[in-house]
Amino acid sequence: MSRNSPENLLLYLTPEDESTLRDVYAALAQRGFPVQHQRPHITVTFAPALETAVVDEARNLLPPLLPAALRRVGTVVFGTKSKQTVAWLLETTDELESAARRLSASNPEGRGPRWTPHLTMGLRLPRAMVPEYMRALDEISTFEHKEFTAAQAAWWRPKTQQLEVLG
């Protein structure tokens, strides 16, 4: 991840789920699509520099809610320009959703009390590639790619390359 990237509050999956998703990334790369290097995660909120109060609130709110089940409910495309991101849209427990919305609302750089839980499956893809990428993703996706478990909350600071596990 770029050192110019924002700080993030993240949810990481179980090692088994991460491995499963890396296998999907690898299968897509074998079909000639761009290699995906990101560690599978769900972003809760982000900012150029997260305020201490937001991180402290995350330390209190998130760990008691984990592990939490997440279910894939669709595929979405983020972006309106030449590069777009393909992601799996997720649903989770009411408690985790409420906590994530609360953290987003408390983040002055956030989007208010909104949260769109998702797993990025294709980052910064050329717009023309997106339909073919989505078809390939549908072909590769199986039953084992429908349910995931968020096992860990963390604060990622790319400028200093520091990852703090919360809880």
Side-chain angles (χ1 to χ4, degrees):
M1 189 177 271
S2 166
R3 290 183 189 267
N4 294 325
S5 296
E7 292 184 10
N8 293 270
L9 290 175
L10 305 170
L11 299 176
Y12 286 119
L13 305 174
T14 64
E16 298 79 16
D17 285 343
E18 277 195 28
S19 178
T20 295
L21 289 167
R22 289 182 194 279
D23 289 346
V24 173
Y25 295 159
L28 288 162
Q30 287 175 350
R31 291 183 181 208
F33 293 107
V35 175
Q36 299 298 304
H37 298 286
Q38 69 272 14
R39 180 179 177 190
H41 66 274
I42 297 112
T43 301
V44 175
T45 193
F46 60 92
L50 283 166
E51 290 188 0
T52 304
V54 177
V55 177
D56 288 344
E57 189 172 12
R59 281 187 187 101
N60 291 326
L61 288 177
L62 296 175
L65 300 176
L66 302 176
L70 297 127
R71 187 172 53 91
R72 180 168 58 105
V73 295
T75 304
V76 294
V77 178
F78 295 110
T80 58
K81 297 186 179 175
S82 64
K83 298 287 184 173
Q84 297 184 332
T85 295
V86 173
W88 282 340
L89 186 63
L90 305 170
E91 287 183 349
T92 189
T93 65
D94 291 343
E95 296 82 9
L96 182 55
E97 174 124 7
S98 177
R101 288 178 184 274
R102 183 171 160 184
L103 289 166
S104 182
S106 69
N107 177 5
E109 301 284 334
R111 299 180 25 214
R114 284 177 261 159
W115 184 48
T116 307
H118 64 277
L119 280 167
T120 298
M121 299 308 296
L123 188 61
R124 294 185 202 95
L125 300 170
R127 182 184 191 111
M129 181 185 290
V130 169
E132 186 181 346
Y133 194 90
M134 289 177 67
R135 275 191 293 280
L137 186 58
D138 284 346
E139 290 170 8
I140 292 165
S141 302
T142 65
F143 182 75
E144 69 182 291
H145 305 120
K146 300 229 188 274
E147 302 264 340
F148 304 95
T149 301
Q152 191 176 65
W155 175 25
W156 169 240
R157 290 170 279 178
K159 287 179 186 157
T160 59
Q161 297 291 294
Q162 290 179 294
L163 178 72
E164 178 188 333
V165 174
L166 306 179

